[in-house]
Amino acid sequence: MKFLFIGDIVGRSGRKAVRCHLENNKYDFVVANVENSAAGFGITERVYNDLKSMGINAMTAGNHTWDRKETAELIESWDEFIRPANISSKAAGKGFNIFEVNGKKICVINLLGRVFMNMSNCPFESFDTIYESIDKDCFIIVDFHGEATSEKIAFGNYASNKANVVTGTHTHVQTNDLRLIGNTLYLTDAGMCGAIDSILGMEKESIIEKFVTNMPHRFKAETKGSVLFNGFSFTIDDDNIIREYKLINETFESIES
Ligand SMILES: [Fe+2]
């Protein structure tokens, strides 16, 4: 069985990169971080349906989960959408979901890091609570949405041999450390799908202005030029053992959108 995990999809350029990759590759199950997929901020109904139609089976989020007002209104009807588990238990939506594919149970969990974000409960404890509550034959994929490499590597080691796959997201910069920690496939950051000539998928000028002046600026997703596709794929056998894995870092030429 072949899986794909897609790094943070940023706006229209990111969606275009995903479409280009999925047109040429086949997977049994696809997970993507989608919290920047609607023009760089959150997700809308239209974008949710667009990503679903491309073949994305599970969509994870992070600190931008609630950027769009309609997310809070529609989240309960979005079966594929998983917001961070370690936020208020009163929040709408779900922090993990179990999907059945080819007779396999696949549990996708979204967690939010606390280093430099500090807007959530303990992700380590939340993982333990979920892990104790689910069937032990589930294949578990964790998207740990965090800023700090240290926190993500610590979590990868903490969850090794419990979670089957742990990947970081959020920095939009793919790391080169895809490896097994025990039986767990681990990557510090899956990277980004979005415009290459950008800063983390956003238009460069306003980001630079913000750093130079330290004044507030409105950021916009870059929609011009070539696009980048980042993620990783892996295969598993009938016993949930990971057999093959590889980083994916592709570019698609000059797409005006
Ligand atoms: Fe993020």
Side-chain angles (χ1 to χ4, degrees):
M1 195 170 169
K2 191 167 185 185
F3 290 71
L4 173 70
F5 188 97
I6 302 173
D8 302 38
I9 301 169
V10 186
R12 202 185 299 168
S13 295
R15 301 199 305 275
K16 183 80 192 181
V18 172
R19 193 174 295 113
C20 289
H21 180 83
L22 288 176
E23 274 168 7
N24 297 311
N25 296 275
K26 273 242 144 308
Y27 301 96
D28 300 299
F29 195 78
V30 180
V31 186
N33 186 291
V34 303
E35 70 147 16
N36 303 120
S37 57
F41 299 95
I43 183 166
T44 60
E45 175 84 334
R46 189 179 66 78
V47 170
Y48 169 83
N49 286 326
D50 186 29
L51 295 173
K52 200 171 150 178
S53 72
M54 288 181 211
I56 296 176
N57 304 101
M59 305 183 201
T60 51
N63 53 311
H64 288 288
T65 302
W66 310 110
D67 282 4
R68 304 286 177 152
K69 223 172 96 200
E70 65 189 275
T71 300
E73 291 155 14
L74 298 171
I75 193 168
E76 302 292 358
S77 65
W78 292 348
D79 292 338
E80 289 80 4
F81 189 79
I82 300 152
R83 48 93 173 141
N86 53 327
I87 60 174
S88 167
S89 59
K90 295 189 176 71
K94 52 195 173 297
F96 71 97
N97 201 9
I98 296 170
F99 303 85
E100 293 226 18
V101 183
N102 299 345
K104 239 180 222 316
K105 280 182 258 179
I106 302 161
C107 177
V108 180
I109 303 171
N110 188 206
L111 295 169
L112 200 50
R114 289 189 296 183
V115 177
F116 305 130
M117 286 210 262
N118 215 10
M119 55 194 286
S120 63
N121 302 316
C122 177
F124 295 76
E125 280 179 12
S126 290
F127 172 75
D128 286 342
T129 305
I130 296 167
Y131 183 74
E132 293 308 325
S133 74
I134 62 176
D135 291 345
K136 290 293 162 276
D137 60 345
C138 282
F139 185 84
I140 302 171
I141 302 171
V142 180
D143 172 355
F144 192 103
H145 195 79
E147 191 78 61
T149 52
S150 56
E151 189 182 22
K152 292 191 263 195
I153 296 170
F155 181 81
N157 281 274
Y158 181 82
S160 70
N161 300 325
K162 291 182 175 172
N164 300 83
V165 177
V166 173
T167 181
T169 56
H170 177 67
T171 70
H172 296 202
V173 179
Q174 188 179 63
T175 56
N176 192 22
D177 59 341
L178 184 66
R179 69 186 196 273
L180 288 168
I181 302 178
N183 298 324
T184 301
L185 185 62
Y186 173 79
L187 178 64
T188 298
D189 205 292
M192 167 191 96
C193 299
I196 294 175
D197 192 19
S198 71
I199 296 176
L200 308 185
M202 309 303 278
E203 285 182 358
K204 294 189 287 190
E205 293 70 20
S206 51
I207 304 265
I208 292 170
E209 269 293 301
K210 161 120 174 93
F211 279 115
V212 170
T213 65
N214 216 11
M215 290 163 65
H217 278 81
R218 283 176 73 87
F219 301 142
K220 270 178 72 185
E222 181 58 78
T223 58
K224 296 187 292 300
S226 301
V227 298
L228 176 71
F229 179 89
N230 277 174
F232 63 99
S233 63
F234 56 94
T235 59
I236 67 169
D237 68 14
D238 291 343
D239 297 320
N240 288 351
I241 305 294
I242 291 164
R243 292 296 172 196
E244 291 168 352
Y245 51 88
K246 74 164 190 204
L247 273 180
I248 306 170
N249 185 353
E250 282 179 334
T251 59
F252 298 97
E253 289 309 311
S254 239
I255 294 158
E256 288 291 334
S257 46

